[in-house]
């Protein structure tokens, strides 16, 4: 699974070198989406809507260490204060997918922080 994710990330990076925004635009790349966690809650809207086929880049910031899990796509990433993290994926599957935290601090809560909604093309 880890190998697959690394390969997946490598493919995305290969397709979208940071220096070529014109290229990225031609293939349904959406601008990076910033998501901030404060006091164990999302700042702002709790739903992110994208279209099937979009290259999604979620950029996480937090005021507390957390392990984030995008369900359905099964992407996990660790984020900590001063250490932003990103989740990159192609929105292939449609539906509504929660991102949960596998425990802030020493807890092990599993409630949804935010939902990613992927609409059919
Ligand atoms: Cu989870």
């Amino acid at each position: 699974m880890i190998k697959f994710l690394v390969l997946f990330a490598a493919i995305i990076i290969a397709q979208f070198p940071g220096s070529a925004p014109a290229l990225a635009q031609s293939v349904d790349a959406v601008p990076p989406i910033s998501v901030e966690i404060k006091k164990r809650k999302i700042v702002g809207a709790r739903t992110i809507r994208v279209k099937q086929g979009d290259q999604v880049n979620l950029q996480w910031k937090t005021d507390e260490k957390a392990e984030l899990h995008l369900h359905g796509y099964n992407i996990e990433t660790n984020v900590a204060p001063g250490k932003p993290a990103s989740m990159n994926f192609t929105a292939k599957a449609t539906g509504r997918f929660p991102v949960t935290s596998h425990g802030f601090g020493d807890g092990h809560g599993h409630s949804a922080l935010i939902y990613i909604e992927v609409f059919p093309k």
Side-chain angles (χ1 to χ4, degrees), residues 69 71 100 102 110:
H69 179 201
H71 286 240
T100 62
H102 288 181
H110 205 224

Side-chain angles (χ1 to χ4, degrees), residues 67-71 74-76 98-102 109-111:
E67 180 186 286
L68 304 172
H69 179 201
L70 170 56
H71 286 240
N74 245 341
I75 298 171
E76 289 184 348
V99 178
T100 62
S101 167
H102 288 181
H110 205 224
S111 60

Side-chain angles (χ1 to χ4, degrees), residues 6-18 55 88:
V6 169
L7 179 63
F8 193 53
I11 289 167
I12 289 172
I13 290 160
Q15 283 177 337
F16 303 106
Q55 300 288 332
N88 294 288

Side-chain angles (χ1 to χ4, degrees), residues 47-59:
T47 305
I48 291 170
R49 296 181 176 92
V50 299
K51 288 196 310 291
Q52 192 176 24
D54 282 351
Q55 300 288 332
V56 181
N57 178 358
L58 302 178
Q59 301 194 325

